[in-house]
Amino acid sequence: MKVIIFGGDGFCGWPSALELSSHDHEVTIVDNFVRRRIDNELGVQSLTPIRSLDERRKAWSGLTGRAIDAVDLDLAGDYAALTELLARVRPDAVVHFAEQRAAPYSMRSPSHKRYTVDNNVNATHNLLAALVELGLDTHVVHLGTMGVYGYDTAPIDLPEGYFDVSFVDRNGDTHAREILYPTKPGSVYHLTKSLDQLLFEFYARNDDLRITDLHQGIVWGTQTTQTRLDERLINRFDYDGDFGTVLNRFLVQAALGTPLTVHGTGGQTRAFINLQDSVRCVRLAVESGADVTGRVRVMNQITETHCVRDLAHLVSRVTGAEIAEVANPRNEADVNELSARNSRLLALGLDPILLETGLLEESLDIAKKYADRADLSRIPCVSYWNDARRALASAR
Ligand code: NAD
Ligand code: USQ
């Protein structure tokens, strides 16, 4: 298949591009490298020494004989270039990773909130509008988030996108209806993914676009079968207070000998998936296609759920690291339960890599190997959800 990967220079996009290329797909990466510019803005670099996209692509073709094309393009800001590219490549599928994906970064300031909304909503809408304008039958695979469901404890296993409800009308008759599961985003970033959901629902219903929305949990790990092949293919490993996600941060903190930063009591339960599984799921989604049904194919891309405190204890048991309960910068429930279905990806062949496997050790080894590149001053999360949270943190 011909596949365009929007955001293919990022943490999930780069290993997904390699996974698809190694399975004989013709891959074009599109990226505007804003994530690398954000590293400069925040004054922190990936723990691992990631190479330029050109160097990465050259290394891959040298090692495997497989070429990956690349285009520097802003999906949110250059609609004319986007339509020209889509008309030229006529992809069978596109994978859309090209969004600002950090919740803390999205809450830093009014300008970060506005950037996140402008970038994410326009990126998604430009892609959908361009496919309709060109009349292309391209399958859109989007990386969404489990966060669209919100983190209230629900007495059900969360469904995959759509939800059956029944209600009594004014005459006392009962009706059944399928709706998108009500969203309850916890940050401006998660809010943009909720808006994306509505865009997808509309374009699937109105224009018969074939769309798969992967509601992904928190990705942990840093390497995949392909990125391990050569140091020049190494993947990004974020550990800072904005882009570092919880388990990867704990692993780096343990490797650096600093306490594990549990926000509040650590009773927050979240869904997780290893990076290797994530890239496999993306390939399974691309290869399985999607039919025109007037509705979006939503799949929960997760393998297990854990609360933050349990993860900290697991990492502490393996490494001896101390655990610190820090003031929570976020406006989120201290404790929640979470259980969600993932039957669609299991049916496609997902064979979950669980936390007990050796991959925790691999991430720890990488964190130790590049520990001298870490900047300890960038570990605390200093993006507060509101002034009350900021005051709470400074009172500590
Ligand atoms: P990332 O920031 O590492 O990668 C995103 C890439 O998109 C970057 O290379 C960036 O330069 C590019 N990009 C952003 N805006 C663009 C634009 N307007 N035009 C062109 N390129 C643009 O993020 P990631 O961790 O790889 O996440 C990728 C996707 O997966 C995101 O949409 C995110 O919401 C989703 N996701 C990530 C995780 C996770 O734990 N990392 C979990 C669930 C979902
Ligand atoms: N947390 C800590 N200590 C830390 C960092 C985080 O206790 O040092 C807590 C947070 O307060 C939160 C939980 O860990 O309760 C998860 O935080 P996170 O930063 O790991 O994940 P999140 O902000 O939800 O975002 C990440 C990705 C995002 C993706 C999302 C999937 O950055 O792109 O959409 O995971 S999900 O969480 O399922 O919505």
Side-chain angles (χ1 to χ4, degrees):
M1 285 187 195
K2 274 194 265 176
V3 186
I4 295 182
I5 304 197
F6 293 98
D9 187 48
F11 169 66
C12 298
W14 171 241
S16 298
L18 297 184
E19 169 80 8
L20 285 160
S21 175
S22 69
H23 283 77
D24 296 331
H25 299 293
E26 249 176 80
V27 172
T28 301
I29 286 178
V30 175
D31 208 293
N32 67 347
F33 306 105
V34 63
R35 179 69 194 85
R36 291 179 187 249
R37 288 194 292 281
I38 291 174
D39 278 342
N40 297 334
E41 174 199 339
L42 298 177
V44 62
Q45 301 295 318
S46 161
L47 187 72
T48 45
I50 52 173
R51 309 301 203 265
S52 70
L53 182 58
D54 279 348
E55 198 181 336
R56 286 173 151 186
R57 289 166 50 235
K58 271 190 206 121
W60 178 247
S61 71
L63 287 163
T64 65
R66 297 170 194 272
I68 293 181
D69 274 351
V71 178
D72 180 349
L73 186 154
D74 179 358
L75 182 57
D78 199 345
Y79 184 76
L82 172 66
T83 50
E84 186 279 322
L85 172 77
L86 290 169
R88 178 168 56 78
V89 177
R90 301 185 71 80
D92 301 295
V94 295
V95 188
H96 172 23
F97 293 99
E99 297 185 73
Q100 191 301 97
R101 71 101 176 130
Y105 186 81
S106 79
M107 301 301 287
R108 274 179 99 80
S109 74
S111 75
H112 290 88
K113 291 177 186 175
R114 293 177 56 239
Y115 165 70
T116 302
V117 171
D118 290 349
N119 186 64
N120 294 4
V121 176
N122 282 323
T124 299
H125 190 250
N126 281 351
L127 177 60
L128 300 173
L131 292 173
V132 172
E133 181 181 339
L134 296 167
L136 291 176
D137 178 34
T138 298
H139 173 206
V140 177
V141 176
H142 171 253
L143 271 292
T145 176
M146 287 297 289
V148 294
Y149 301 121
Y151 290 111
D152 286 345
T153 299
I156 53 164
D157 291 341
L158 290 174
E160 301 198 82
Y162 291 86
F163 188 48
D164 294 325
V165 293
S166 64
F167 58 95
V168 179
D169 70 14
R170 63 178 78 85
N171 302 315
D173 296 326
T174 302
H175 300 266
R177 191 169 287 178
E178 186 189 61
I179 59 169
L180 281 174
Y181 191 87
T183 64
K184 196 170 180 193
S187 71
V188 167
Y189 154 71
H190 288 97
L191 171 63
T192 64
K193 295 286 180 176
S194 303
L195 298 171
D196 281 349
Q197 261 207 142
L198 280 179
L199 295 174
F200 295 136
E201 194 279 333
F202 177 81
Y203 276 91
R205 182 165 44 81
N206 193 63
D207 298 285
D208 283 337
L209 285 192
R210 296 187 295 124
I211 301 171
T212 298
D213 198 3
L214 299 169
H215 286 191
Q216 184 165 238
I218 302 170
V219 180
W220 66 276
T222 179
Q223 293 283 62
T224 63
T225 312
Q226 291 87 23
T227 63
R228 274 185 210 108
L229 287 176
D230 189 290
E231 170 95 4
R232 292 166 297 166
L233 303 176
I234 201 162
N235 198 29
R236 175 176 273 285
F237 197 166
D238 293 314
Y239 66 96
D240 62 286
D242 276 21
F243 279 85
T245 50
V246 63
L247 180 52
N248 277 1
R249 267 165 69 74
F250 287 170
L251 292 167
V252 173
Q253 290 164 354
L256 298 177
T258 63
L260 313 183
T261 53
V262 170
H263 290 168
T265 62
Q268 306 93 316
T269 304
R270 297 291 182 266
F272 291 84
I273 184 164
N274 179 262
L275 181 67
Q276 179 72 65
D277 277 345
S278 170
V279 304
R280 277 199 194 121
C281 288
V282 168
R283 179 170 59 75
L284 292 171
V286 167
E287 290 175 347
S288 59
D291 296 329
V292 173
T293 56
R295 72 204 281 288
V296 182
R297 178 174 68 154
V298 181
M299 304 201 273
N300 292 340
Q301 189 161 306
I302 64 170
T303 54
E304 55 194 319
T305 60
H306 294 282
C307 82
V308 165
R309 185 177 45 233
D310 290 348
L311 289 179
H313 282 291
L314 172 67
V315 174
S316 173
R317 263 200 312 279
V318 176
T319 63
E322 271 177 51
I323 297 175
E325 277 188 12
V326 301
N328 193 344
R330 305 184 186 208
N331 187 6
E332 62 183 2
D334 283 345
V335 180
N336 70 292
E337 286 169 22
L338 173 66
S339 174
R341 296 183 199 156
N342 61 351
S343 25
R344 292 195 177 127
L345 280 162
L346 291 176
L348 289 178
L350 167 65
D351 179 15
I353 294 168
L354 300 177
L355 267 173
E356 304 90 63
T357 63
L359 291 182
L360 266 188
E361 296 286 354
E362 183 195 52
S363 297
L364 272 169
D365 288 345
I366 291 176
K368 283 183 200 143
K369 180 169 176 193
Y370 297 107
D372 61 330
R373 288 173 48 87
D375 179 347
L376 292 182
S377 72
R378 297 298 166 195
I379 286 186
C381 181
V382 291
S383 298
Y384 299 99
W385 261 233
N386 54 37
D387 290 342
R389 295 275 150 185
R390 193 185 310 276
L392 189 68
S394 57
R396 276 223 169 179

